């Protein structure tokens, strides 16, 4: 038992026992590492340290990259049949272990177990997509482009790929990239968030059980030291990053300067526009679900509710009623919403409530007053609702990443659209209306990468691509779907001629097709 750890009353799922120190996973086995640098990992519902995670040194990152580089030589030539078999086996194993994975996520992230299960399920969709890799890698073939000449295109893996992920989806976000990278014949070094590192170790074991050769999937834990080494290591050919906008920009600029292809997904400020003709019960349900699910720690969470008058009073009243029914507490009990990830983050989010009131907003529901079904030391902040927020307030301009929903009242559709389009972020957005023409106009005019029509969290299926616009994504490729396959492969075009060499002849002119 780790000193200072408190036990809560029994819930629907017991808190997992505290772990030994988390290890890296290099060359198909756990690797404790020699570094003296570690970071605490909390159980946010208990407010106590659960375990600690090693922070890799440059040398340890190099060992992981060396393992991945060595494994690439044979994995890239393994047959599509073999790779697909590993993918299918991995899919079965993740499915069998999804409850265990969800409980690990809850223990370190804090989201309720049902939400964590949803995260694993959405990650599995990408694994299932990657099982179709033989189809996804098919190239084109043109017979007889010139006399006895054929042309065909193939796509080949890029090499060692680094995946750097955020705390809020410790299983799903790595799965946006890793299964496709591996299916396409690459090898991977994953650097998960140091805040909730344990699930990635279970995933590594499942890859191993699925028959993935040692070195194809590696995990190094760490902070900026590890990330910087991955960004400069000459053997790393591609970097997939997800996290906050300042770090995403840094990763993109540094990685591309070092000659790597980079997709860096950043932060968000997602607007939900409600037109006066919308079904207000549907809109209120959606605003509560998308604003407070996972305690607002989702890059697709709704944080700005843009209401076109005259329905704002009515909608705010309906949202307030619904918030009163939400149960906040330990994610292992049957609660709707868990704690925030760390005390520091909880305090930062809570500070926006005073900032909003100080700037003139109306605090309709104050999450600091919430009654909690959980340990009093947990990092709690209940759902909070601010009304009459205006665009210059920090509560509107900043990505808060917590359970704070801001209502901005506007007079027209055009005003709502201008607000969304002038925002620096462009990850997700939604419009609620019964007017098909208005919805159609919105999906055409809005400058955002993922759009919902009466759907508040429009996360695309795995066979479409996930990604935002503007400061929500740096690079040209979104995650998974066709763009994901493209990112993890390089195109090659072969022009071939098969005939008797005596039909050749000297001609120094530029090749023409005849
Ligand atoms: P973060 O940017 O703090 O960390 C992300 C990763 O970067 C972690 O692995 C972390 O160890 C590493 N990192 C942190 N500081 C670094 C530094 N100075 N140099 C190099 N690496 C560094 O993000 P977070 O707090 O873990 O996650 C929340 C953020 O992620 C939010 O902004 C959220 O919107 C964003 N997010 C975006 C998407 C998306 O699809 N656009 C999805 C999930 C989360």
């Amino acid at each position: 038992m780790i000193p200072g750890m408190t036990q809560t009353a029994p819930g629907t799922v017991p808190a997992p026992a505290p772990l030994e120190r988390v290890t890296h996973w290099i060359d198909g086995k756990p690797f404790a590492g020699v570094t003296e640098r570690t970071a605490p990992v909390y159980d946010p519902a208990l407010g106590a340290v659960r375990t600690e995670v090693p922070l890799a040194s440059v040398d340890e990152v190099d060992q992981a990259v060396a393992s991945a580089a060595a494994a690439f030589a044979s994995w890239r030539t393994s047959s599509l049949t073999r790779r697909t078999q590993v993918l299918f086996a991995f899919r079965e194993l993740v499915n069998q272990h999804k409850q265990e994975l969800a409980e690990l996520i809850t223990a370190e992230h804090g989201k309720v177990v049902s939400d964590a299960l949803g995260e694993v399920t959405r990650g599995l969709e990408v694994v299932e997509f990657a099982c179709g890799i033989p189809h996804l890698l098919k190239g084109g073939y043109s017979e007889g482009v010139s006399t006895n000449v054929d042309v065909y295109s193939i796509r080949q893996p890029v090499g060692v790929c680094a995946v750097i992920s955020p705390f809020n989806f410790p299983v799903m976000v790595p799965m946006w990239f890793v299964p496709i990278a591996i299916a396409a014949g690459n090898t991977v070094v994953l650097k998960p968030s140091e805040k909730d590192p344990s699930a990635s170790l279970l995933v590594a074991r499942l890859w191993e059980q699925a028959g993935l050769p040692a070195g194809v999937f590696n995990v190094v834990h760490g902070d900026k030291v590890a990330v910087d080494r991955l960004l400069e290591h000459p053997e790393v050919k591609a970097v997939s990053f997800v996290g906050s906008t300042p770090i995403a920009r840094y990763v993109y600029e540094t990685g591309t300067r070092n000659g790597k292809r980079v997709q860096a997904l950043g932060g968000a400020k997602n607007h939900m526009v409600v037109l006066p003709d919308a079904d207000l019960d549907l809109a209120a349900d959606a605003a509560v679900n998308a604003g407070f699910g996972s305690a607002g720690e989702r890059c697709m969470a709704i944080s700005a509710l843009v209401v076109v008058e005259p329905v704002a009073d009515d909608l705010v009243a309906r949202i307030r009623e619904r918030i009163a029914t939400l149960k906040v507490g330990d994610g292992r009990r049957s609660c709707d919403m868990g704690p925030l990830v760390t005390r520091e983050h909880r305090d930062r989010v809570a500070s926006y409530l005073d900032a909003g009131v100080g700037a003139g907003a109306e605090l309709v529901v104050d999450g600091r007053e919430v009654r909690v079904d959980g340990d009093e030391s947990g990092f709690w902040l209940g759902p909070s609702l601010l009304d009459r927020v205006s665009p210059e307030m920090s509560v509107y301009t900043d990505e808060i990443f917590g359970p704070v929903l801001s209502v901005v009242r506007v007079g027209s559709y055009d005003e709502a659209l201008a607000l969304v389009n002038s925002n620096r972020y462009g990850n997700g957005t939604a419009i609620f209306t019964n007017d098909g023409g208005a919805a159609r106009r919105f999906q055409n005019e809005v400058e955002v990468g993922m759009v919902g029509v009466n759907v508040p969290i429009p996360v695309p299926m795995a066979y479409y691509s996930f990604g935002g616009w503007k400061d929500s994504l740096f690079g040209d490729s979104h995650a998974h779907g066709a763009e994901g396959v493209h990112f993890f492969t390089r195109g090659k075009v072969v022009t071939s001629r098969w005939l008797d060499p005596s039909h050749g002849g000297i001609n120094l002119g530029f090749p023409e097709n005849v």
Side-chain angles (χ1 to χ4, degrees):
M1 170 73 79
I2 288 176
M5 181 142 178
T6 355
Q7 284 296 324
T8 51
T12 47
V13 177
L19 299 175
E20 298 297 314
R21 198 172 110 178
V22 178
T23 62
H24 308 294
W25 181 272
I26 298 179
D27 215 26
K29 49 190 178 301
F31 176 73
V34 290
T35 176
E36 291 306 309
R37 293 193 317 125
T38 61
V41 178
Y42 292 92
D43 184 325
L46 302 179
V49 175
R50 170 180 141 75
T51 182
E52 57 180 16
V53 59
L55 302 175
S57 63
V58 166
D59 183 54
E60 287 161 339
V61 174
D62 286 357
Q63 290 185 52
V65 175
S67 166
F72 180 62
S74 59
W75 183 245
R76 75 179 285 274
T77 57
S78 60
S79 69
L80 282 171
T81 302
R82 169 142 159 65
R83 283 188 242 156
T84 310
Q85 283 165 351
V86 172
L87 262 291
F88 271 100
F90 178 67
R91 190 251 171 215
E92 290 308 300
L93 285 162
V94 174
N95 215 15
Q96 281 164 24
H97 290 270
K98 64 182 174 194
Q99 182 71 23
E100 212 179 319
L101 280 166
E103 288 170 21
L104 270 179
I105 295 170
T106 298
E108 295 181 357
H109 175 285
K111 65 176 77 173
V112 299
V113 172
S114 56
D115 192 33
L117 268 172
E119 155 174 5
V120 179
T121 305
R122 292 307 303 256
L124 262 178
E125 289 174 5
V126 186
V127 180
E128 287 161 0
F129 171 71
C131 286
I133 198 71
H135 269 292
L136 299 167
L137 289 184
K138 277 181 184 169
Y141 192 103
S142 300
E143 187 185 42
V145 297
S146 186
T147 307
N148 290 330
V149 174
D150 307 323
V151 174
Y152 49 97
S153 64
I154 52 183
R155 297 206 68 85
Q156 297 189 321
V158 295
V160 178
C161 301
V163 176
I164 302 159
S165 57
F167 81 83
N168 66 323
F169 285 108
V171 168
M172 183 186 78
V173 164
M175 280 193 192
W176 282 352
F177 309 105
V178 175
I180 299 172
I182 287 178
N186 300 282
T187 57
V188 172
V189 177
L190 168 66
K191 207 301 285 170
S193 168
E194 61 276 37
K195 295 193 178 99
D196 44 15
S198 297
S200 58
L201 266 286
L202 177 51
V203 170
R205 288 184 192 280
L206 299 182
W207 275 119
E208 188 210 8
Q209 281 176 37
L212 193 72
V216 177
F217 177 65
N218 304 274
V219 180
V220 283
H221 299 288
D223 54 6
K224 182 171 166 54
V225 172
V227 172
D228 283 348
R229 182 58 185 152
L230 288 168
L231 293 177
E232 69 183 20
H233 198 301
E235 282 288 356
V236 173
K237 304 299 180 198
V239 178
S240 302
F241 172 90
V242 181
S244 57
T245 287
I247 313 294
R249 191 193 305 273
Y250 167 78
V251 165
Y252 180 75
E253 289 174 357
T254 313
T256 50
R257 195 167 52 244
N258 289 330
K260 304 174 195 324
R261 56 175 66 182
V262 181
Q263 49 180 182
L265 285 69
K269 189 82 190 179
N270 304 311
H271 296 65
M272 171 171 152
V273 174
V274 180
L275 299 189
D277 72 321
D279 177 329
L280 293 189
D281 279 323
L282 178 74
D285 286 346
V288 169
N289 296 342
F292 306 122
S294 198
E297 291 171 328
R298 289 180 182 144
C299 64
M300 291 291 275
I302 293 295
S303 58
L305 190 60
V306 184
V307 188
V308 179
E309 292 288 29
V311 295
D313 282 345
D314 193 352
L315 184 60
V316 167
R318 290 176 205 232
I319 292 172
R320 181 188 205 155
E321 269 170 31
R322 284 162 171 78
I323 290 176
T325 68
L326 294 180
K327 200 169 145 199
V328 177
D330 191 317
R332 291 165 286 242
R333 304 180 186 189
S334 49
C335 295
D336 300 304
M337 198 186 106
L340 279 91
V341 68
T342 58
R343 185 178 306 286
E344 187 189 21
H345 185 54
R346 181 259 169 227
D347 292 347
R348 182 180 165 274
V349 173
S351 74
Y352 277 99
L353 301 178
D354 286 336
V357 171
E362 183 187 327
L363 187 55
V364 180
V365 181
D366 186 345
R368 293 168 296 194
E369 294 167 359
V370 72
R371 281 185 44 228
V372 168
D373 179 15
D375 194 289
E376 61 181 21
S377 307
F379 308 141
W380 307 111
L381 182 66
S384 304
L385 184 63
L386 281 161
D387 193 6
R388 300 183 188 279
V389 169
S390 53
E392 72 288 348
M393 295 180 188
S394 64
V395 72
Y396 175 78
T397 54
D398 297 1
E399 181 187 33
I400 299 175
F401 219 56
V404 179
L405 187 59
S406 297
V407 177
V408 185
R409 298 171 174 233
V410 295
S412 65
Y413 164 85
D414 286 333
E415 217 183 307
L417 180 76
L419 197 60
V420 183
N421 283 353
S422 60
N423 197 273
R424 62 187 283 229
Y425 298 108
N427 212 41
T429 189
I431 187 164
F432 278 70
T433 177
N434 281 319
D435 181 338
R440 190 170 182 280
R441 230 184 107 180
F442 184 74
Q443 56 118 48
N444 175 265
E445 294 175 340
V446 76
E447 291 173 16
V448 170
M450 294 170 282
V451 181
V453 176
N454 297 319
V455 172
I457 306 189
V459 174
M461 291 298 293
Y463 36 90
Y464 285 85
S465 297
F466 181 108
W469 288 13
K470 300 189 274 186
D471 278 2
S472 294
L473 187 139
F474 302 89
D476 304 314
S477 302
H478 291 198
H480 58 68
E483 294 194 35
V485 176
H486 222 260
F487 183 80
F488 288 115
T489 51
R490 287 187 290 189
K492 191 180 266 182
V493 179
V494 181
T495 303
S496 74
R497 177 164 58 183
W498 291 101
L499 75 173
D500 184 334
S502 66
H503 287 77
I506 299 295
N507 180 354
L508 300 193
F510 195 67
E512 287 175 18
N513 296 317
V514 287

